[in-house]
Amino acid sequence: MNEPQKAQSALAYVRETAQKFLDRETAGGILLIIATIVALFLGNSQFSEMYHHYLKDEFVIEFSEHFNFGLTIEEWINDGLMAIFFLVAGLELKREVLVGELSSFKKASSPLLAALGGMIVPALIFVSFNSETAYIRGWGIPMGTDIAYSLGIIGLLGKKIPSQLKIFLVALAIADDVGAILVIALFYSSQISWFYLVGGLGIFVGLLVLNKIRVKNLSWYITGGIVLWYFFLNSGVHPTIAGVLFAITIPVRPKLDSKHLKERTTRNLGQLEEADIETKNPLQDIKQRPILKAIKKDTENSRPPLLKLENSLIDFNAFFIIPIFAIANAGVKLDVSFLEVVSSSLGLGVIAGLAVGKVTGISLFTWLGQKIGVSSIHSSLKWKHILGVGMIAGIGFTMSLFITNLAFTNPELVKVSKISILIASSIAALIGVLILFLSSPVQQKNKNIKTLHRNGK
């Protein structure tokens, strides 16, 4: 290879690498890991006190002299921004359920069954370690899957895994987290405000009615969604569930269907041809402007509201919400030794529940669903993929940390639980990535080539 060819090859490599980095999921995953490292540094450095102090500071929005609304910075992130995260995930899931790969009962039931197994088995494992102890209230800790971390980690693998695996994980993680939220509401909520809960459900029904009567203007839904979130925030039920409920209400059908778009565009193009487009641009010819404006408006109205909202939020979600959440929540003080954690039934219950129970429950229930004929997995997915994604689902960071704070008031128990979650999530992520990496087509091809060489062929 001559020097010009080498230079071109190097340039092509740089471009390819840059393109991979710009991929939303890969870049988001890298940013998430960096954010977690930053949080751990802040939580275990000389800045620790300042870090926790700022998270507890209250940020107040004043609407008038007599009405204001305030939450701590940590609450704005965990209860506010994460509701938007669940909204984006819910929009993606709804799209797949209605017109995508989850549109049939058999395909949709597989990740839902997997999620059920991924909640039941970890809880049973935790109970087996702690049934006779004072730690039994922590049985819900290993039930949750952190959708942000899971999708971020799986995004790092890029095209090495089938695209259907991400869809499977999204459905599984959302169902898992909704299940965890219901567990929080039923078993860890000390006080439910039925006024706000019923009011929130009423807002949800109202948004469904708007969808039913074919209101397409997103501003009505966004206003209702904010009110829905406020009601759930004060209901005693975790407000992130409002994001999922809100996603369900967003219309799929656009204001202007494809048939009418074609008719209107044909008519507008005909009018444009009558204008002086050969010698004048729209600034020079006033007749062209309303025609072009009409074409633009019709094109915008042909976009489904669901896709419009999803596309407007997806980058904000990947590059702001998720990293900010990690910085606010991952700063666990690591002043308890590994031996102290694993010698405690509490620590063992959490670690075994997440790192062993998740993959066992997900794989077992997926297999059972296929055996009894109520579900099926996509043809592009193999059992290695299910095992790999089952391990990655053991990253229980978000919900596990949240339930920890609800389950225990003793600071030492909270600390042991959080460090156990960190250990289990790290184990699950590393083993899950390794399984999926070795299951990739390139790795499988290299393995086959080595086998052929070994056999002398």
Side-chain angles (χ1 to χ4, degrees):
M1 184 182 291
N2 56 37
E3 290 302 316
Q5 287 177 323
K6 286 181 180 178
Q8 287 181 354
S9 177
L11 186 60
Y13 178 79
V14 171
R15 285 175 179 169
E16 183 182 356
T17 305
Q19 185 60 44
K20 285 181 180 177
F21 179 77
L22 290 174
D23 178 82
R24 183 182 292 114
E25 289 171 354
T26 305
I30 293 170
L31 194 59
L32 183 58
I33 292 171
I34 293 171
T36 303
I37 293 169
V38 169
L40 287 170
F41 168 75
L42 291 173
N44 293 274
S45 69
Q46 59 187 1
F47 307 107
S48 175
E49 189 175 335
M50 182 176 65
Y51 163 72
H52 290 290
H53 171 75
Y54 279 118
L55 286 175
K56 298 301 180 185
D57 270 359
E58 191 174 26
F59 180 78
V60 179
I61 298 176
E62 292 191 13
F63 295 96
S64 68
E65 186 180 345
H66 302 289
F67 180 69
N68 56 60
F69 176 68
L71 296 171
T72 66
I73 300 298
E74 189 175 25
E75 289 170 338
W76 276 113
I77 294 168
N78 293 348
D79 298 342
L81 290 180
M82 286 306 288
I84 299 174
F85 172 81
F86 273 84
L87 165 62
V88 175
L91 291 171
E92 184 172 8
L93 180 62
K94 180 177 179 179
R95 171 168 47 79
E96 291 299 329
V97 168
L98 292 176
V99 296
E101 294 298 329
L102 299 178
S103 54
S104 73
F105 173 76
K106 271 200 166 186
K107 289 178 181 178
S109 59
S110 185
L112 296 180
L113 275 174
L116 185 63
M119 290 185 285
I120 292 173
V121 175
L124 290 176
I125 287 176
F126 183 92
V127 170
S128 70
F129 278 100
N130 295 282
S131 59
E132 302 293 329
T133 71
Y135 312 140
I136 190 63
R137 267 186 61 81
W139 62 270
I141 294 173
M143 291 181 68
T145 291
D146 190 309
I147 189 170
Y149 274 86
S150 299
L151 290 177
I153 293 295
I154 209 170
L156 294 174
L157 294 168
K159 295 180 180 179
K160 288 184 173 66
I161 59 169
S163 60
Q164 298 302 322
L165 194 61
K166 182 199 168 189
I167 296 169
F168 181 88
L169 178 59
V170 167
L172 184 158
I174 291 176
D176 193 297
D177 279 350
V178 170
I181 289 170
L182 291 174
V183 166
I184 291 167
L186 295 173
F187 300 101
Y188 289 101
S189 295
S190 56
Q191 185 175 339
I192 296 289
S193 170
W194 292 104
F195 171 79
Y196 281 106
L197 183 59
V198 173
L201 293 175
I203 297 295
F204 172 62
V205 172
L207 290 170
L208 288 176
V209 171
L210 286 181
N211 190 328
K212 187 70 176 176
I213 62 176
R214 300 192 176 185
V215 174
K216 307 297 182 184
N217 193 327
L218 278 175
S219 61
W220 288 100
Y221 292 93
I222 292 170
T223 302
I226 293 170
V227 178
L228 176 68
W229 172 80
Y230 178 79
F231 271 75
F232 268 86
L233 178 69
N234 291 282
S235 70
V237 178
H238 199 267
T240 51
I241 198 173
V244 179
L245 294 176
F246 181 39
I248 294 171
T249 69
I250 302 300
V252 175
R253 293 181 180 178
K255 285 183 180 180
L256 197 64
D257 60 33
S258 298
K259 180 184 176 183
H260 288 95
L261 175 66
K262 180 183 176 183
E263 292 172 356
R264 292 167 69 106
T265 303
T266 302
R267 185 167 61 250
N268 286 325
L269 289 175
Q271 293 176 0
L272 195 61
E273 287 177 359
E274 294 174 6
D276 189 5
I277 59 175
E278 298 294 336
T279 59
K280 294 182 180 179
N281 62 42
L283 285 175
Q284 297 168 324
D285 185 7
I286 196 170
K287 292 180 181 179
Q288 295 181 37
R289 296 178 202 171
I291 301 170
L292 293 173
K293 186 177 180 181
I295 292 173
K296 180 182 178 182
K297 184 178 180 181
D298 288 345
T299 304
E300 186 67 18
N301 287 338
S302 70
R303 294 175 62 204
L306 185 144
L307 290 180
K308 194 184 297 185
L309 185 59
E310 183 183 352
N311 291 335
S312 67
L313 291 173
I314 198 163
D315 285 334
F316 177 69
N317 188 54
F319 298 118
F320 181 76
I321 292 178
I322 299 174
I324 288 295
F325 174 83
I327 289 173
N329 288 272
V332 183
K333 196 166 184 64
L334 305 175
D335 59 353
V336 178
S337 71
F338 178 78
L339 284 176
E340 283 184 79
V341 174
V342 297
S343 63
S344 161
S345 62
L346 171 60
L348 282 175
V350 173
I351 294 171
L354 286 170
V356 179
K358 277 288 180 181
V359 64
T360 303
I362 288 167
S363 303
L364 178 61
F365 275 57
T366 302
W367 178 80
L368 284 173
Q370 285 196 306
K371 280 295 179 184
I372 62 179
V374 297
S375 65
S376 65
I377 58 174
H378 194 269
S379 58
S380 65
L381 301 182
K382 311 300 179 188
W383 280 106
K384 284 183 179 179
H385 295 132
I386 301 300
L387 287 172
V389 86
M391 283 302 308
I392 286 177
I395 304 172
F397 214 76
T398 312
M399 277 300 167
S400 296
L401 290 177
F402 185 77
I403 295 175
T404 295
N405 292 327
L406 296 176
F408 303 121
T409 55
N410 185 318
E412 289 304 312
L413 298 185
V414 170
K415 187 184 297 182
V416 170
S417 297
K418 289 188 174 183
I419 293 175
S420 302
I421 292 163
L422 204 59
I423 293 170
S425 297
S426 300
I427 293 170
L430 289 171
I431 297 178
V433 167
L434 182 62
I435 292 172
L436 292 176
F437 181 77
L438 294 176
S439 303
S440 70
V442 174
Q443 296 300 317
Q444 200 62 44
K445 183 179 178 182
N446 291 340
K447 185 178 178 182
N448 293 338
I449 291 171
K450 287 179 181 178
T451 304
L452 288 172
H453 281 303
R454 197 180 298 118
N455 293 337
K457 293 182 181 180

